[in-house]
Amino acid sequence: MTVAVVGAGLAGLSAAWALRGAAADVVVLDAGRRPGGMIVTERRDGFVVEGGPDGFLAAEPDIQELAREIGIAERLVDQVARGAALWTGRRLKPLAEGKAAELLGIQVSANAGTQFRTFATGMADVVEALIARLVPSLRTTQGVTAIGPAARGWRLSFTGASSLDAEAVILAVPAWVAARLLAGVGVSAARELDTVLYAPSITVSLAYRADQVPGTLEGTGFVAAPDAGGAVRACTYAWRKYPKRAPEGFALLRAFVGPLDGDPASIAHAELAATLSIAGDPLWTRVFHWPRGLPRYPRGHAERVAAVRDRLARLAPLAIAGAGFDGAGVSACVKSGREAARVMLERLGRV
Ligand SMILES: Cc1cc2nc3c(=O)[nH]c(=O)nc-3n(C[C@H](O)[C@H](O)[C@H](O)COP(=O)(O)OP(=O)(O)OC[C@H]3O[C@@H](n4cnc5c(N)ncnc54)[C@H](O)[C@@H]3O)c2cc1C
């Protein structure tokens, strides 16, 4: 029995790990060169630089359960600094707990708390551990261009006219990719999944000597008020928020900026220098572009996803998983991937 997981982001890797646990023969296919999808951590001269997510709410169980299963529970680390500030455009003022997420448009359930957690050397710890355990099953630069019915299950087509047959398929890809692939097998309701909007974003990490940054900075960072002006929408004091993000004597900031003209690193530095009274230039900067970053769900999204799943239940085993469908947070992606694996195993009579 082969189950193909399309997409090696956290949702796809979590699905593959759950399938492997049930002794299924799994193959994970990703269009990119690097597995992990939106999770990207770079370690550089003792700095831990996150390009995508940097943590998750401590109240979210799924990613932590996964960490225990794959033997990296001891790498879970807690947020150190607490509280965030609001940049009004003229000054920083303290923000009420939980208000920062609201201002950034991130949905957090009321009882989820505000304590965050991450992994000791970055979010890629979890991806690297999964990859190490899934190695023979993982194939990168394998973009799936179409799905079609096969004698038993599905036939996946790739760029370059090659194909692969699988009894079951999990599509752990962004919503717009799933919409296209599913429309190709007659799931017309899936076209509507294209209404999920992926907001463009740029993250800029900036390294400084600690003496360039005022020692009076407090909390985990700031969020800019909608009318503050400027390109920086939010900034994390990364080296204060989590332990060991920068070597002793150095500081690491991460700015979130919207689409802009010009060099994001110099614009972010200029604005942060003014807001935080930073002295001198950064030692280095690293920019990550996310032309399609965090998904935002239009009204009626849950019903549309449910309608697609209803339709899929009447076809050969085929599932959807990931941030495009079940929530953008990394823990929600783990949950979504594992649930898709469970449904596929059930359909295959394995549970
Ligand atoms: C800047 C930024 C900051 C974030 N911060 C946080 C945070 O702090 N906390 C948090 O919980 N979440 C955060 N998120 C959200 C979170 O990172 C994502 O929602 C989550 O990682 C998505 O995982 P996924 O597996 O669903 O999708 P992805 O990571 O997008 O993976 C999908 C994979 O599918 C592959 N693929 C696409 N098309 C094909 C194809 N045709 N064939 C084969 N493969 C294909 C892609 O290459 C990709 O690897 C952040 C996101 C961004 C961009």
Side-chain angles (χ1 to χ4, degrees), residues 6-11 29-32 36-39 51-55 142-144 172-174 177 203 290 293-294 322-323 328-330 333:
V6 183
L10 188 58
L29 308 152
D30 198 282
M38 290 189 192
I39 296 183
D54 71 347
Q142 295 278 303
V144 172
V173 291
V177 179
T203 70
W290 298 103
L294 276 172
V330 287
C333 290

Side-chain angles (χ1 to χ4, degrees), residues 20-201:
R20 177 67 72 76
D25 184 9
V26 189
V27 51
V28 188
L29 308 152
D30 198 282
R33 279 203 194 88
R34 176 191 61 78
M38 290 189 192
I39 296 183
V40 35
T41 306
E42 289 180 1
R43 292 118 185 170
R44 165 176 184 168
D45 308 332
F47 290 86
V48 175
V49 181
E50 299 284 17
D54 71 347
F56 47 87
L57 283 164
E60 295 177 311
D62 298 272
I63 191 167
Q64 299 180 77
E65 274 166 31
L66 176 69
R68 281 188 279 280
E69 278 176 25
I70 58 177
I72 60 161
E74 83 294 345
R75 302 189 71 73
L76 287 164
V77 292
D78 276 316
Q79 170 179 353
V80 185
R82 302 279 305 169
L86 177 74
W87 170 243
T88 64
R90 301 174 67 166
R91 65 187 187 94
L92 289 169
K93 61 179 200 184
L95 257 183
E97 289 262 312
K99 205 71 180 118
E102 193 185 310
L103 276 166
L104 290 168
I106 299 168
Q107 288 158 354
V108 178
S109 67
N111 52 2
T114 53
Q115 176 72 31
F116 279 83
R117 218 161 255 173
T118 189
F119 290 95
T121 50
M123 287 298 297
D125 283 2
V126 66
V127 168
E128 287 158 5
L130 284 165
I131 293 168
R133 284 154 184 78
L134 291 166
V135 138
S137 322
L138 184 62
R139 299 187 203 161
T140 50
T141 62
Q142 295 278 303
V144 172
T145 52
I147 320 174
R152 234 177 124 201
W154 300 99
R155 175 157 300 168
L156 302 176
S157 307
F158 305 98
T159 359
S162 58
S163 68
L164 174 101
D165 284 4
E167 278 177 64
V169 173
I170 296 177
L171 296 177
V173 291
W176 82 88
V177 179
R180 185 172 47 75
L181 293 174
L182 291 176
V185 288
V187 182
S188 52
R191 286 186 205 278
E192 299 265 320
L193 294 175
D194 217 3
T195 54
V196 177
L197 290 179
Y198 286 77
S201 166

Side-chain angles (χ1 to χ4, degrees), residues 154 182 185-190 304-316 318 347:
W154 300 99
L182 291 176
V185 288
V187 182
S188 52
R304 278 190 282 274
V305 170
V308 170
R309 287 192 166 128
D310 267 3
R311 177 79 181 96
L312 294 181
R314 283 178 268 132
L315 303 177
L318 179 58
R347 294 283 315 272

